[in-house]
Amino acid sequence: MDEFDLSDILADDRPPAIPAILDTSSMARLLDITAERVRMLAKDGVLIKTDRGRFDTQASLQNYIRRLRESAARAGRPSQGGDALKAERLRLTSAQAEAQEAKNAVLLGELVPAADVEAKWAEILTDVRAAILAVPGRIAGRMNLSATDITAIDAEIRLALTEAGNADPA
């Protein structure tokens, strides 16, 4: 059973003469794969053995072609979820990268918690407010202003601070 010449099968002037049973090396040449791959496909049940090292040519070819078609169909079809799944994975990967960048920034002292920033700004603004409210009292001694003038300046400063505090931050 032995070796056969593929050119016999492919000849135009006579009908194909493929033996009903092929040995491992002939099956490998017919399918253009290695003998080891033939053995693996036989183990997987794709190539049908009739005896040790012998294969049912027709059944094996049908199974092999069916398997190739299934593989081709799977390769041409998007994975389960398709583009939506890819987009979700990309979004997750980006979010993980951003989270790691934020952790690194915290460790390097480049990023601080918002509550700490808010507390520090509240402290600074309290000091600025106190300094501005002290202006009428400081200028009262230096300038010859009446109590009415000082009260008017104080009222204008308080009004400006109140308006600034109520202003829309956008």
Side-chain angles (χ1 to χ4, degrees):
M1 193 55 28
D2 312 75
E3 301 281 325
F4 70 95
D5 186 2
L6 285 178
S7 62
D8 291 343
I9 298 171
L10 303 175
D12 291 332
D13 58 340
R14 58 186 163 156
I18 301 175
I21 305 293
L22 290 176
D23 63 19
T24 302
S25 63
S26 296
M27 184 63 78
R29 282 187 302 124
L30 177 64
L31 300 177
D32 194 25
I33 59 177
T34 65
E36 180 59 32
R37 183 71 181 138
V38 167
R39 286 187 279 279
M40 288 173 53
L41 289 168
K43 183 179 177 186
D44 292 345
V46 175
L47 301 182
I48 309 302
K49 281 187 165 188
T50 59
D51 196 9
R52 183 177 173 93
R54 305 275 184 220
F55 299 91
D56 179 320
T57 306
Q58 182 176 348
S60 295
L61 283 175
Q62 287 172 342
N63 284 351
Y64 186 70
I65 291 168
R66 186 177 304 115
R67 183 165 182 158
L68 290 177
R69 283 183 180 145
E70 289 169 359
S71 293
R74 280 193 307 273
R77 185 177 26 195
S79 64
Q80 209 172 27
D83 291 338
L85 180 60
K86 286 179 185 176
E88 188 60 24
R89 284 183 181 152
L90 180 60
R91 190 193 68 73
L92 175 63
T93 301
S94 295
Q96 289 171 336
E98 287 176 16
Q100 188 59 50
E101 288 172 4
K103 286 179 186 176
N104 291 344
V106 168
L107 291 173
L108 295 172
E110 297 170 351
L111 189 64
V112 293
D116 292 353
V117 173
E118 191 175 322
K120 187 63 176 176
W121 271 109
E123 180 184 322
I124 291 169
L125 292 175
T126 299
D127 291 346
V128 168
R129 182 179 182 274
I132 290 174
L133 289 174
V135 168
R138 286 199 322 256
I139 63 171
R142 282 191 265 157
M143 304 177 94
N144 261 344
L145 298 176
S146 68
T148 306
D149 293 336
I150 297 299
T151 303
I153 293 171
D154 185 66
E156 285 300 318
I157 288 175
R158 288 180 186 279
L159 179 63
L161 288 172
T162 300
E163 288 174 356
N166 293 332
D168 185 10

